[in-house]
Amino acid sequence: MTYSAFRLFREGLRDHSGWEEAWRDAEPQPAYDVVIVGGGGHGLATAYYLAKEHGIGRVAVVEKGYIGGGNTGRNTTIVRSNYLLEANAHFYELSLKLWEGLSADLNYNVMFSQRGVLNLAHSDAQRDAHMRRGNAMRLNGIDSEWLTREQVAAFVPHLDVSENARFPVVGGLLQRRGGTARHDAVAWGYARAASRRGVDIVQNCEVTGFVIDGGAVKGVQTSRGTIRAKKVGIAVAGHTSHVAAMAGLRLPIESHLLQAFVSEPIKPFIDTVVTFGAGHFYVSQSDKGEMVMGGDLDFYPSYAQRGNLPIIEEAMSCGLQMFPALSRLRMLRHWGGIMDMSMDGSPIISKTPISGLYLNGGWCYGGFKATPGSGFVFAHTIARDEPHPMNAEFRLDRFERGYAIDDKGAGPTPQAH
Amino acid sequence: MLTIRCPHCGERTHTEFTFIGDGERERPADDASEAVWYDYVYLRDNRRGPLAEIWQHTLGCRGFALVERDLVTHAVSGTRPLPPARLPGASS
């Protein structure tokens, strides 16, 4: 069923009784051309592009829980491509361009809203660093704009830009094409679009091992039996090390905990995304009116999808520095997700030492915005057995070869990226 | 909030500590091969389960501790002082 204004009108006349299920909840078949482990945005997008761009017929996505129940539904929905280094800049820009046409491509409204992403600067040194990054972006053909303090004040009226702030704002780097999207809709939209192209989406199917013979992958063992496959792609975010270990791989990744928070809904307050530069905090407002906020990692490795109170206090104190008017706002809920923090802060989309086994991970906190681009280049890598030019540098062996892509310059300290 | 027993100061909240890294890795000899150093610097078991970690009591005695902690439940099962040879940056 194709969604359209006409269809909506017709369903409105018959009490919405004609809507079909958006996608097919499949039973696992004995064999596939490609099996993708992980039914989040990245896995579903990969399956979609495998079918659409590469004409691969028999594709399955196996998910241990329900689709989009992991990090796809546990982020702050921010989309941007404001990176310094070329590999990251071009890759995230590819992703941003796919976002710009995604609702039409999927025939599903992912509510992508280019409301801008503003990075505040609070010191001369930070202003210089932001301007350098902004200039690098422009050289890479990506939009960026420096806003003076007065322009920031006009752009975000409730922001405290006064000299009385503990860390006065000196300006900000704005990417107007950045913004937010509806995270659940991304999972559902890709699932529906993939399912319509014949992809099997298998839920409640946990991978417990890989079938490997003579250095080549032959399938996966799951809680619902063995599934043979010519090729297998791993896209499991926080559990990347855990799943890769089943294939005997040790990875340059540590899993850390990141929280996000949502307040009670209020009237329109900010119509963009703002990040605090003197601490780690970012905020936007959802279409429902909730303030959506995120802060730092909890700073210790974890596989528990739940957060800790000290970070909430830290994040809220950053938020009040920026927006004193929020001091009586009540928090509605908070949640934690597991970040696969890589050793240079950049992702890994790569072949592995095992023939036919491909890895997509190391997303740190940046996975959501990468969803379309990640699926696009991962599908290419799997279908052609060689990377797309946009992920050629995101190789698993780049650390060993001395080609780390360290946008923040923090070195092999995963929690610092 | 986690509570961690510092081997020198007693039980404190985790906000007094800084997580340093996986404590199960052995620092290689200075003249070890590149492959061995690559393994030490970049690769992690990142196991889903109990792990011995190095934590520093940054806002206390500043001493280092080996903390046995479960990465799923966050339960701390024991702590002990870090042997001097295992200190971050210790030369072999």
Side-chain angles (χ1 to χ4, degrees):
Chain A
M1 175 190 285
T2 301
Y3 296 153
S4 64
F6 171 72
R7 177 82 65 179
L8 186 62
F9 180 71
R10 200 176 71 168
E11 290 301 326
L13 293 179
R14 53 175 188 174
D15 209 19
H16 294 281
S17 58
W19 296 115
E20 298 164 5
E21 285 193 340
W23 48 276
R24 193 169 43 87
D25 190 21
E27 290 295 315
Q29 301 300 308
Y32 290 95
D33 292 331
V34 180
V35 166
I36 303 294
V37 184
H42 289 233
L44 294 164
T46 305
Y48 169 67
Y49 292 116
L50 276 170
K52 183 189 174 214
E53 303 289 333
H54 304 281
I56 294 180
R58 298 187 311 154
V59 179
V61 176
V62 295
E63 163 58 44
K64 75 170 174 181
Y66 57 93
I67 64 158
N71 288 356
T72 303
R74 292 171 182 268
N75 53 72
T76 49
T77 78
I78 298 168
V79 177
R80 58 188 172 85
S81 63
N82 52 0
Y83 283 79
L84 174 70
L85 300 181
E86 287 198 10
N88 280 326
H90 291 305
F91 168 74
Y92 285 107
E93 179 62 9
L94 165 76
S95 198
L96 182 52
K97 284 178 176 159
L98 288 169
W99 276 110
E100 287 172 333
L102 197 59
S103 291
D105 185 32
L106 298 181
N107 181 232
Y108 200 99
N109 186 4
V110 298
M111 295 166 71
F112 180 49
S113 163
Q114 292 182 292
R115 57 184 67 188
V117 174
L118 177 65
N119 299 150
L120 297 178
H122 306 265
S123 65
D124 290 350
Q126 200 165 35
R127 181 191 58 208
D128 291 351
H130 279 23
M131 282 188 169
R132 176 182 177 228
R133 181 157 53 88
N135 286 332
M137 288 165 64
R138 294 174 81 120
L139 287 170
N140 282 324
I142 301 165
D143 74 300
S144 76
E145 224 174 291
W146 174 255
L147 298 190
T148 63
R149 191 171 69 134
E150 292 69 31
Q151 288 169 315
V152 167
F155 191 65
V156 191
H158 295 291
L159 186 70
D160 181 7
V161 296
S162 71
E163 290 292 343
N164 299 328
R166 172 67 183 82
F167 301 100
V169 172
V170 300
L173 187 69
L174 172 65
Q175 184 181 22
R176 287 190 193 272
R177 286 167 58 244
T180 59
R182 173 80 203 280
H183 50 5
D184 294 323
V186 177
W188 299 332
Y190 270 118
R192 174 171 169 273
S195 185
R196 291 177 91 194
R197 288 179 179 272
V199 170
D200 278 0
I201 295 166
V202 186
Q203 302 183 102
N204 298 313
C205 183
E206 181 172 3
V207 167
T208 54
F210 292 89
V211 184
I212 294 169
D213 186 16
V217 75
K218 303 289 180 193
V220 290
Q221 289 148 354
T222 76
S223 55
R224 295 172 71 177
T226 299
I227 304 173
R228 313 285 296 179
K230 293 174 188 160
K231 295 177 176 180
V232 176
I234 301 173
V236 295
H239 283 70
T240 300
S241 295
H242 178 68
V243 172
M246 296 174 192
L249 299 176
R250 268 180 97 217
L251 301 179
I253 286 174
E254 234 172 48
S255 291
H256 281 260
L257 184 59
L258 182 68
Q259 301 187 57
F261 325 95
V262 160
S263 77
E264 59 188 335
I266 54 175
K267 292 273 173 68
F269 185 75
I270 71 170
D271 60 357
T272 184
V273 181
V274 190
T275 73
F276 188 50
H280 201 155
F281 181 77
Y282 33 97
V283 58
S284 64
Q285 189 171 15
S286 77
D287 292 349
K288 285 186 286 185
E290 302 159 329
M291 304 301 287
V292 183
M293 296 167 274
D296 246 327
L297 293 173
D298 277 33
F299 288 129
Y300 49 81
S302 170
Y303 279 97
Q305 289 171 313
R306 62 176 184 278
N308 225 318
L309 292 171
I311 286 290
I312 301 181
E313 188 176 6
E314 161 86 17
M316 293 310 126
S317 66
C318 291
L320 290 185
Q321 295 260 324
M322 293 163 66
F323 298 104
L326 294 181
S327 64
R328 293 184 194 175
L329 191 68
R330 280 170 294 202
M331 291 298 120
L332 214 56
R333 58 186 191 274
H334 79 116
W335 62 91
I338 305 305
M339 309 296 114
D340 38 341
M341 302 299 294
S342 68
M343 290 289 162
D344 60 359
S346 298
I348 297 161
I349 313 173
S350 177
K351 296 167 71 169
T352 68
I354 297 162
S355 173
L357 183 66
Y358 305 86
L359 180 70
N360 176 329
W363 286 103
C364 303
Y365 346 101
F368 178 71
K369 63 179 172 292
T371 305
S374 162
F376 192 84
V377 301
F378 195 40
H380 184 285
T381 306
I382 294 171
R384 308 274 183 89
D385 195 36
E386 63 178 21
H388 186 278
M390 289 295 175
N391 67 315
E393 293 186 43
F394 295 144
R395 293 165 57 136
L396 177 58
D397 64 2
R398 66 176 181 266
F399 305 94
E400 196 169 4
R401 292 162 51 245
Y403 288 92
I405 307 165
D406 195 341
D407 228 274
K408 198 172 171 187
T413 311
Q415 69 267 30
H417 287 287
Chain B
M1 187 86 80
L2 310 183
T3 51
I4 295 173
R5 178 171 290 280
C6 170
H8 313 289
C9 312
E11 194 150 279
R12 302 296 175 91
T13 62
H14 83 272
T15 50
E16 291 189 15
F17 295 80
T18 306
F19 168 77
I20 301 294
D22 181 332
E24 296 183 357
R25 298 171 304 143
E26 290 286 342
R27 187 182 168 86
D30 289 353
D31 57 356
S33 69
E34 258 185 43
V36 171
W37 271 104
Y38 162 67
D39 191 285
Y40 175 73
V41 172
Y42 286 110
L43 298 185
R44 300 286 185 273
D45 286 336
N46 197 21
R47 254 193 338 267
R48 199 190 143 154
L51 184 73
E53 303 171 322
I54 302 173
W55 289 68
Q56 183 179 15
H57 195 188
T58 331
L59 300 183
C61 65
R62 297 195 61 78
F64 292 89
L66 258 183
V67 177
E68 297 273 351
R69 193 174 64 92
D70 190 294
L71 267 56
V72 180
T73 64
H74 294 173
V76 177
S77 54
T79 54
R80 57 196 164 93
L82 188 69
R86 303 282 295 279
L87 288 172
S91 188
S92 49

